[in-house]
Amino acid sequence: MQNKNSSKSLALVYVWSKKIRFFHWLNVLCVFLLIAIGLIILNSKALGVTSDGKILLKTCHVLVGYAFCINLLCRVLVGFFGTGFEKWGATLAFNKGFASEFKKYRLGKTKHYKGHNPAGKLMITAMFLALSVQMVSGLVIAGTDIYYPPLGGYFKEQVAIDSTQIKLIKPYSKVNIDAEKYQAMRDLRAPFITAHVYSFYLLLLLIPLHVAGVIFTERKEKSAITSAMINGYKTLPKD
Ligand code: HEM
């Protein structure tokens, strides 16, 4: 009886659009694959991976990286031009009044949220920052390491001895490479590699925290937030 009454006072509320759900699950898939391949690249010496094997791993990592970047860039555009909970104001922790929103959440004064709760907004802000660092640093090192777009062509020209023979320049080969210019390119790339690796460690911390936060919120708010990321609907009190 009690259950019947309480289910009567609940309503299904559409919160996550198809675009948001598609972005979320494609992002999960890409990040999972990028971490898995990234871990092998990071430990390639210990695993005895050959040079050709490394080039193949990096190529696969970069190809998945492109899907990840396009998906992330589409989400950025949807944040600016979308509607309702797609907008950045409803997603990130920078909206006006966020501090008092967070205080109310901490004190337990607001029990339910149509979109993200303030803790969720903070987590998503941190994850978007880490993902953006991965995107920018990844695209730079893809150009300097295996000469892949969008910057690979530019870096090939930078390190070439003979710029009419650009085609001869291949990953891990010294043919048509000016040693000094190559070293300058490696120096330029160093901070991007550092950013890529530290942001990767940050993601290894944020991802389990995000999952723990979802489980905690699911148990506390009981508004079906996990299935909402599949079917779009949260279960919220009618009032
Ligand atoms: C969530 C996203 C990403 C994660 C977690 C990730 C993780 C990693 C990790 C752990 C490594 C090994 C680092 C090392 O050995 O020094 C790596 C290397 C690399 N990543 Fe990513 N990555 C991501 C996105 C991207 C993107 C978007 C691109 C480019 C499209 C990219 C391009 C590369 C390249 C070229 C390397 C080889 C660097 C090298 O060791 O020479 N990554 N990544």
Side-chain angles (χ1 to χ4, degrees):
M1 190 65 185
Q2 208 183 356
N3 271 349
K4 217 177 169 188
N5 282 341
S6 58
S7 69
K8 265 188 184 170
S9 60
L10 294 174
L12 283 178
V13 183
Y14 189 66
V15 276
W16 305 128
S17 67
K18 273 191 186 145
K19 278 176 251 163
I20 295 293
R21 285 176 278 146
F22 182 81
F23 160 76
H24 180 270
W25 293 114
L26 181 58
N27 189 54
V28 170
L29 178 68
C30 291
V31 170
F32 172 78
L33 289 173
L34 289 166
I35 287 179
I37 307 172
L39 273 173
I40 306 176
I41 300 174
L42 201 57
N43 297 294
S44 53
K45 243 190 205 159
L47 294 169
V49 180
T50 60
S51 286
D52 282 350
K54 264 194 196 172
I55 295 171
L56 181 65
L57 282 168
K58 287 179 184 184
T59 306
C60 294
H61 186 81
V62 169
L63 293 180
V64 178
Y66 288 150
F68 161 82
C69 292
I70 292 169
N71 194 36
L72 189 60
L73 287 173
C74 288
R75 178 63 185 93
V76 170
L77 291 179
V78 167
F80 286 115
F81 302 110
T83 53
F85 295 108
E86 294 171 349
K87 286 190 158 301
W88 286 131
T91 310
L92 302 180
F94 299 126
N95 58 302
K96 224 174 144 193
F98 176 77
S100 68
E101 215 179 274
F102 189 76
K103 198 172 168 194
K104 276 188 196 160
Y105 170 78
R106 219 168 30 86
L107 299 174
K109 286 189 181 163
T110 313
K111 298 262 184 287
H112 293 93
Y113 294 84
K114 272 194 186 173
H116 299 295
N117 69 31
K121 278 185 176 176
L122 277 176
M123 172 53 76
I124 286 160
T125 306
M127 288 209 289
F128 268 116
L129 282 175
L131 294 176
S132 305
V133 170
Q134 289 306 81
M135 175 174 73
V136 175
S137 58
L139 289 174
V140 173
I141 54 183
T144 59
D145 203 57
I146 51 172
Y147 305 111
Y148 261 55
L151 299 169
Y154 166 79
F155 283 119
K156 268 186 179 178
E157 281 189 8
Q158 291 298 305
V159 297
I161 295 169
D162 178 357
S163 57
T164 63
Q165 297 295 321
I166 290 284
K167 275 190 184 155
L168 297 177
I169 298 180
K170 300 269 184 271
Y172 288 41
S173 156
K174 296 274 174 264
V175 178
N176 196 22
I177 298 270
D178 180 303
E180 251 178 52
K181 289 177 182 166
Y182 184 79
Q183 190 51 49
M185 181 186 77
R186 302 293 289 187
D187 293 345
L188 184 137
R189 150 202 158 96
F192 290 94
I193 275 279
T194 308
H196 206 68
V197 173
Y198 279 100
S199 179
F200 159 70
Y201 290 140
L202 180 62
L203 278 172
L204 288 190
L205 178 76
L206 292 178
I207 292 167
L209 274 178
H210 169 60
V211 175
V214 169
I215 295 169
F216 173 79
T217 309
E218 186 79 82
R219 290 173 64 93
K220 190 175 149 215
E221 294 182 13
K222 299 196 167 43
S223 40
I225 63 166
T226 311
S227 51
M229 207 31 100
I230 298 168
N231 58 28
Y233 289 91
K234 273 193 183 183
T235 315
L236 295 168
K238 274 188 181 147
D239 55 354

